[in-house]
Amino acid sequence: MRDDAAVLITSRHNPCVKRWRAWLEKGSVRRDADWALLEGPHLIEAALAAGWCIREVWYDETGASRHAILLDRLRAQHVTLVRVTAAVLTAVSDTTTPQGLIAEVAKPQWDVVHWGDGDLVIIDGVQEPGNVGALLRVAAAAGCAAAWLAPGSAHAWSPKVLRAAMGAHMVLPIFEGEVPDAVWQPYARERRLLATVLSSESRSLYSLDLTAPAAWVFGNEGAGVRPIWHERRATPVILPLAPGIESLNVATAAAVFLFEARRQRTARRDSVDRSHSPRSRDR
């Protein structure tokens, strides 16, 4: 990398540093901001690949030496690069050992039409950021259409959620807050609503036909899903577990549910493809 930038920020009292620190430290600032911070090369590369608007990238000496190729790519895209001291980068980092790069990006703007035709994952009151991030990663890996973080869940754009999601934000439309019934009801008429609930009425995952897209509700591990999902007539489903095990981590359970749906749809699609192949027609 051609390193022709002077050290532009050296003080932790710089107004720009204070602005980023406020985002890190205050949930209210993060929720109101139309931007977010991405730390480390993996998330920045994912944002670049997704075509996100990267407003600027701060890097220190470590970042300049370890991530020279990425910085050259960013410079080629006319992203503003700001060289800072290691102390400044540490001040705006949420990790114990900063990776030398932090970017400010504009949050993508999605609306409900981006829920699409696939599965919708509803994260209902899951408060642990690592679990929320892992759920988003699972949803993206399973090919879901979108994720909706209902009230009471950890903020989708918190640093810990972003790290745990490992780039899921770049490929999965994510919504937060309550959805009005006027919006929800037309959507729900086209979807089966399934909620992971342990009750006498719960159906086993393996008894379900999951070949059509569904809306899945994954709730808080302790409190479960909110009563509103019962009012919306969600079908309660469970994952049959071996004796002596009461539950799984919510992200682990979600992976089993969502990939069983993916398996069924893949098997059905393969069966249809075989039935329409020339060899099948010649029999």
Side-chain angles (χ1 to χ4, degrees):
M1 182 189 77
R2 176 174 54 85
D3 191 4
D4 55 3
V7 176
L8 298 181
I9 300 181
T10 61
S11 171
R12 295 170 58 140
H13 301 292
N14 181 287
C16 295
V17 175
K18 291 181 178 180
R19 176 173 172 270
W20 278 20
R21 283 185 62 84
W23 185 91
L24 286 172
E25 296 171 354
K26 299 178 181 179
S28 59
V29 173
R30 288 196 297 270
R31 290 183 184 276
D32 292 340
D34 65 354
W35 54 277
L37 296 181
L38 304 181
E39 183 167 354
H42 176 78
L43 290 179
I44 295 173
E45 286 177 345
L48 192 61
W52 281 18
C53 174
I54 302 176
R55 294 177 176 174
E56 60 184 54
V57 174
W58 292 10
Y59 67 98
D60 62 5
E61 184 176 352
T62 298
S65 61
R66 292 183 181 176
H67 310 299
I69 294 175
L70 175 56
L71 286 169
D72 276 339
R73 289 173 58 203
L74 292 163
R75 179 180 284 111
Q77 295 295 319
H78 306 291
V79 174
T80 299
L81 302 180
V82 180
R83 188 177 179 100
V84 302
T85 63
V88 166
L89 202 72
T90 298
V92 293
S93 170
D94 189 60
T95 60
T96 303
T97 306
Q99 300 179 61
L101 297 173
I102 301 177
E104 178 181 319
V105 300
K107 290 180 184 176
Q109 299 299 312
W110 291 300
D111 56 42
V112 176
V113 299
H114 290 94
W115 279 3
D117 296 326
D119 282 350
L120 171 67
V121 168
I122 302 168
I123 301 174
D124 187 48
V126 179
Q127 298 174 347
E128 207 287 310
N131 283 341
V132 171
L135 276 164
L136 294 174
R137 189 178 182 186
V138 166
C144 295
W148 167 18
L149 276 65
S153 298
H155 181 37
W157 297 92
S158 73
K160 291 181 180 179
V161 171
L162 282 161
R163 287 199 301 274
M166 292 289 289
H169 291 68
M170 290 72 177
V171 297
L172 183 73
I174 299 170
F175 306 85
E176 295 186 280
E178 195 58 87
V179 173
D181 281 341
V183 174
W184 168 256
Q185 290 176 359
Y187 175 85
R189 281 197 289 269
E190 305 296 326
R191 294 288 185 284
R192 188 177 189 181
L193 181 60
L194 305 170
T196 53
V197 177
L198 179 60
S199 76
S200 59
E201 299 178 354
S202 296
R203 296 184 57 185
S204 165
L205 166 66
Y206 303 117
S207 70
L208 298 175
D209 179 352
L210 301 173
T211 52
W216 296 84
V217 186
F218 299 104
N220 180 285
E221 291 179 40
V225 302
R226 290 178 298 156
I228 189 173
W229 301 112
H230 303 295
E231 296 167 8
R232 289 173 170 171
R233 299 184 179 180
T235 298
V237 297
I238 59 168
L239 179 64
L241 301 176
I245 302 297
E246 294 184 359
S247 65
L248 291 177
N249 169 276
V250 63
T252 302
V256 179
F257 283 107
L258 296 175
F259 276 92
E260 170 60 15
R262 187 175 178 87
R263 183 197 67 79
Q264 289 190 23
R265 291 167 204 170
T266 301
R268 180 181 182 184
R269 183 172 60 250
D270 291 347
S271 176
V272 170
D273 289 345
R274 285 193 298 270
S275 68
H276 288 83
S277 68
R279 181 174 297 179
S280 298
R281 291 197 297 269
D282 290 343
R283 290 177 181 174

